[in-house]
Amino acid sequence: MNNFLSVEDVSDPMILVKAAINLKKDPYADSAIGKNKVLGLIFFNPSLRTRMSTTRAALNLGMQVISMNVTQDSWQLETADGAIMDQGKAEHIKEAAAVMGSYCDMLGVRSFPTLTNREEDYSEELINAFVQYGSVPVINLESATLHPLQSFADLMTIEEHKRVEKPKIVMTWAPHIKSLPQSVANSFAQWMNAVDSDLTITCPKEVELSPDFAGKAVIEKDQDRALEGADFVYVKNWSSYNDYGRIYDDESWTVSIDKLKNTNNAKLMHCLPVRRNVVIADDAMDSPNSIIQNQAENRLFTAQQVLKTIINKL
């Protein structure tokens, strides 16, 4: 694994999951393999779990970490080829990524979509520029279309909690007060398809995902029907793909404990942050069904497994 941009960089996701579960038993077993290695974390957007888990993961391996908020700590970056840079952006990504790569042994990059131009967002111009010009391995800390670190942790959490070999997994859209990216939903579907899971995606027709990411998942417009017999319920909001970036509002899709009554006592998942009583009701968030905190904790061990795998290739 030279880069970690999507599940397509992973030869066998389940082997990686089992390695992360084993690593969780002794997170300090490889505390020397990162000696004299530097991880650069480049944030174009805010972060809590991704920043802290990836930093801690690097420290557990003996790495040093440089973390930068591009919007506050550096020049604004231009990405367009042939740009006449006579406006606000003072440095081009060609120079910036090359310099960052010369200071670090690998780079993690986080950059959200604009949600205004689908073609530009789905081209993944920024993270691909870091791959092109950085000259070191690049880790996707969440891009315009994908969040593979989150999905890796999601798959690990399902593996830890599953009660049958092939559980029914339902990813359900839920309402939100603002437009959110499709990245978490896209990525979750992509990873679930990669391991041949029993995945159902339920959402209003107005917010269907790109077929390229939904893949072979069952698409069900009736949330109650989709949730019947579910073993895992993954709750997430995303904005429209077809009417790109458009927010859709339907409070009846909020997930409550009542929504889970016809499931197979399903485990409840969410990537966080979550707006309580908008996306998920308190009675579900605080119920024994919720494994959301465990899911968040696993972000540490999956990030550490990714770093370890890349270090072993350096």
Side-chain angles (χ1 to χ4, degrees), residues 163 167-171 225-234 260 262-267:
R163 294 163 294 187
K168 180 180 178 180
I169 302 164
V170 177
M171 178 169 66
R225 185 179 300 139
L227 293 175
E228 289 178 4
D231 296 291
F232 292 90
V233 175
Y234 196 117
L260 303 179
N262 291 325
T263 68
N264 186 23
N265 196 29
K267 299 296 185 182

Side-chain angles (χ1 to χ4, degrees), residues 54-109:
T54 311
T55 300
R56 176 65 187 273
L59 296 176
N60 284 357
L61 297 172
M63 300 183 75
Q64 300 176 66
V65 180
I66 300 172
S67 186
M68 173 177 286
N69 298 313
V70 173
T71 54
Q72 300 172 22
D73 301 335
S74 76
W75 308 113
Q76 294 296 300
L77 301 182
E78 177 61 68
T79 58
D81 282 337
I84 299 173
M85 294 174 57
D86 59 356
Q87 299 298 317
K89 296 178 179 179
E91 186 164 7
H92 202 281
I93 189 68
K94 292 181 179 181
E95 289 75 51
V99 168
M100 293 176 191
S102 72
Y103 297 155
C104 302
D105 297 283
M106 61 184 82
L107 295 171
V109 181

Side-chain angles (χ1 to χ4, degrees), residues 1 3-9 127-128 131 138-140 143 146-148 187 190:
M1 186 165 66
N3 296 300
F4 186 75
L5 306 180
S6 76
V7 73
E8 294 176 358
D9 293 307
I127 198 163
N128 287 331
V131 173
V138 173
I139 299 167
N140 184 346
S143 65
L146 292 171
H147 196 349
S187 196
Q190 188 183 54

Side-chain angles (χ1 to χ4, degrees), residues 293-308:
Q293 288 298 330
N294 179 230
Q295 186 183 354
E297 180 189 12
N298 282 340
R299 290 291 308 276
L300 167 59
F301 308 112
T302 49
Q304 189 169 332
Q305 184 59 47
V306 168
L307 295 176
K308 177 183 173 181

Side-chain angles (χ1 to χ4, degrees), residues 99-136:
V99 168
M100 293 176 191
S102 72
Y103 297 155
C104 302
D105 297 283
M106 61 184 82
L107 295 171
V109 181
R110 182 180 182 92
S111 178
F112 295 166
T114 64
L115 293 178
T116 58
N117 186 313
R118 189 175 78 182
E119 183 177 350
E120 288 183 4
D121 286 344
Y122 273 66
S123 74
E124 293 286 13
E125 179 183 50
L126 184 65
I127 198 163
N128 287 331
F130 275 93
V131 173
Q132 182 177 359
Y133 302 117
S135 302
V136 295

